[in-house]
Amino acid sequence: MAPMGIRLSPLGMAVFCLLGLGVLYHLYSGFLAGRFAFFMLSEPAAGGPENPRGSSLGGSVDLRELLAVSVLAAVSGGQEVKRVRDGNVLNAKAKGKTREGAEEQLTSGDLLSNRRMFYLLKGAFPAVQINSEERVDAADQETVSWDRSIPEDIKQKIQPKEVPAESVTVWIDPLDATQEYTEDLRQYVTTMVCVAVNGKPVIGVIHKPFTPYTAWAMVDGGSNVKARSSYNEKTPRIIVSRSHAGKVEQVARQTFGNKTVIIPAGGAGYKVLALLDVAEKNQEEADVYIHVTYIKKWDICAGNAVLRALGGHMTTLTGEEISYTGSDGNEGGLIASINMNHKALIEKLPDLEKTSHK
């Protein structure tokens, strides 16, 4: 007798398939949960070597850590600047001309300092936008690591503060006062790093490679530098660019009198330090810093941040705040002061603004 065949109705087949899928789902979901838990437990802590701060879009950065790296970058760049100058191997060449027609110099000190500073900052904070005066050549890429240490003076004065990585722009000047550097006028030379958050300068580092002296400050944080005890508002000493001293001198003396002292100097970083209490033998002192022509933002951002942190001001000649986003240039000239009536100074110098766009 032939065996009896088993026949399932369509409804039975559907129930059987659903039961099978349920068993498979239960088994596979358990496997996925286990894998997810393993991944979460094994993921390195945020900010560790495998996951630097600001390493992903939408992440955050700690401004205290960024200050520590900025100081290290400025000092490290300064070591390259000093080494090249001491060895007299500048390899200086022209890289173009300013709007005024002056020739701009480029040296090995600029390039080596830039490479060291850029890759140190980029390695520690890869998701942060970094703008530098010199172009970064991928062929010259080097690995410069940060050991995640924070200097004691920064630890004591600055509290951790997280901000979104996408709000941060870092401005590097790997060698400020290159012209003076080629002339061996070492006192004017600085390396600088500035951190802007949403366009506002909040961290400034100005390092003098040949001293060495480093000034740093963080807005709403702390600093290792301070304002002087007094300033002369009636007949201020005005520090200006060596190449533009004549343009400022005539108007300044008409405004403040013939006793007004004009101090020609090189380097925007040096000029900002001239407004502060800096115990340096070759550092001149001034009451006001004025620049009447176009200037790049990496030249002035660090000084702007330092002055802001100390309660001072750096604005265009018409009193507008300078935004450190967008283009790399500032068209409106600048006037900088601290512990003075900044608005009154601007009102006294209305004619200077006319020359700033030329």
Side-chain angles (χ1 to χ4, degrees), residues 25 51 58 79 89 115 164 177 194 198 208 217 221 255 257 272 287 291 323 327 349:
Y25 173 79
N51 184 25
Q79 291 170 349
V89 286
R115 186 170 69 183
C194 176
N198 294 321
K208 301 180 77 170
T255 304
V272 168
D287 302 302
H291 188 86
S323 175
S327 70
L349 299 169

Side-chain angles (χ1 to χ4, degrees), residues 6 271 346:
I6 299 175
K271 297 184 189 82
I346 293 168

Side-chain angles (χ1 to χ4, degrees), residues 5 80 91 108 116 160 189 238 243 261 268 271 276 278 328 330:
E80 295 297 315
N91 297 318
S108 295
R116 179 62 56 90
V189 176
I238 301 176
S243 58
V261 176
K271 297 184 189 82
L276 306 176
V278 176
D328 60 14
N330 172 52

Side-chain angles (χ1 to χ4, degrees), residues 63 163-164 167-169 195-203 308 324-325:
L63 290 180
V163 297
S167 70
V168 175
T169 305
V195 176
V197 177
N198 294 321
K200 295 182 178 181
V202 298
I203 290 174
R308 281 190 71 219
Y324 294 91
T325 56

Side-chain angles (χ1 to χ4, degrees), residues 70-90:
S70 297
V71 170
L72 180 59
V75 172
S76 298
Q79 291 170 349
E80 295 297 315
V81 168
K82 185 177 186 301
R83 181 174 64 82
V84 170
R85 181 66 264 185
D86 288 346
N88 199 28
V89 286
L90 276 65

Side-chain angles (χ1 to χ4, degrees), residues 11-274:
L11 178 61
M13 287 290 291
V15 171
F16 181 81
C17 290
L18 287 173
L19 287 172
L21 288 172
V23 172
L24 289 174
Y25 173 79
H26 178 74
L27 292 173
Y28 194 62
S29 63
F31 171 78
L32 286 178
R35 294 297 295 171
F36 179 75
F38 175 80
F39 173 78
M40 292 300 291
L41 289 171
S42 62
E43 184 179 1
E50 295 84 0
N51 184 25
R53 294 282 184 184
S55 62
S56 61
L57 293 176
S60 63
V61 297
D62 179 3
L63 290 180
R64 184 172 76 164
E65 291 186 349
L66 191 45
L67 169 59
V69 179
S70 297
V71 170
L72 180 59
V75 172
S76 298
Q79 291 170 349
E80 295 297 315
V81 168
K82 185 177 186 301
R83 181 174 64 82
V84 170
R85 181 66 264 185
D86 288 346
N88 199 28
V89 286
L90 276 65
N91 297 318
K93 60 181 180 180
K95 70 173 183 179
K97 291 188 176 182
T98 66
R99 289 189 179 184
E100 295 79 37
E103 195 171 79
E104 286 192 290
Q105 296 288 315
L106 179 67
T107 71
S108 295
D110 294 271
L111 297 174
L112 293 172
S113 174
N114 184 67
R115 186 170 69 183
R116 179 62 56 90
M117 293 173 70
F118 178 87
Y119 284 113
L120 178 55
L121 285 156
K122 199 65 176 176
F125 298 94
V128 166
Q129 172 69 34
I130 301 177
N131 296 335
S132 177
E133 179 173 7
E134 308 304 339
R135 187 173 63 87
V136 178
D137 192 341
D140 293 330
Q141 183 172 348
E142 64 176 88
T143 301
V144 187
S145 60
W146 173 46
D147 63 5
R148 310 202 63 77
S149 64
I150 298 176
E152 282 302 317
D153 59 340
I154 293 178
K155 278 185 180 180
Q156 291 172 7
K157 296 179 180 181
I158 306 294
Q159 295 299 314
K161 183 178 180 180
E162 299 276 341
V163 297
E166 62 268 22
S167 70
V168 175
T169 305
V170 177
W171 296 85
I172 298 175
D173 193 341
L175 201 169
D176 189 36
T178 299
Q179 181 61 45
E180 287 73 18
Y181 182 66
T182 63
E183 299 171 19
D184 209 15
L185 299 173
R186 304 183 181 201
Q187 70 270 26
Y188 297 126
V189 176
T190 62
T191 57
M192 297 187 286
V193 180
C194 176
V195 176
V197 177
N198 294 321
K200 295 182 178 181
V202 298
I203 290 174
V205 180
I206 305 174
H207 174 68
K208 301 180 77 170
F210 298 102
T211 314
Y213 170 84
T214 306
W216 59 260
M218 177 172 158
V219 175
D220 297 327
S223 69
N224 71 341
V225 65
K226 62 182 180 179
R228 298 200 309 272
S229 58
S230 64
Y231 295 85
N232 188 338
E233 292 195 53
K234 292 184 178 180
T235 54
R237 293 163 294 180
I238 301 176
I239 194 163
V240 300
S241 172
R242 291 170 72 214
S243 58
H244 306 134
K247 293 182 179 181
V248 181
E249 184 171 1
Q250 182 179 0
V251 175
R253 291 206 165 130
Q254 288 174 354
T255 304
F256 297 108
N258 290 329
K259 292 184 179 180
T260 301
V261 176
I262 302 298
I263 305 172
Y270 177 89
K271 297 184 189 82
V272 168
L273 292 179

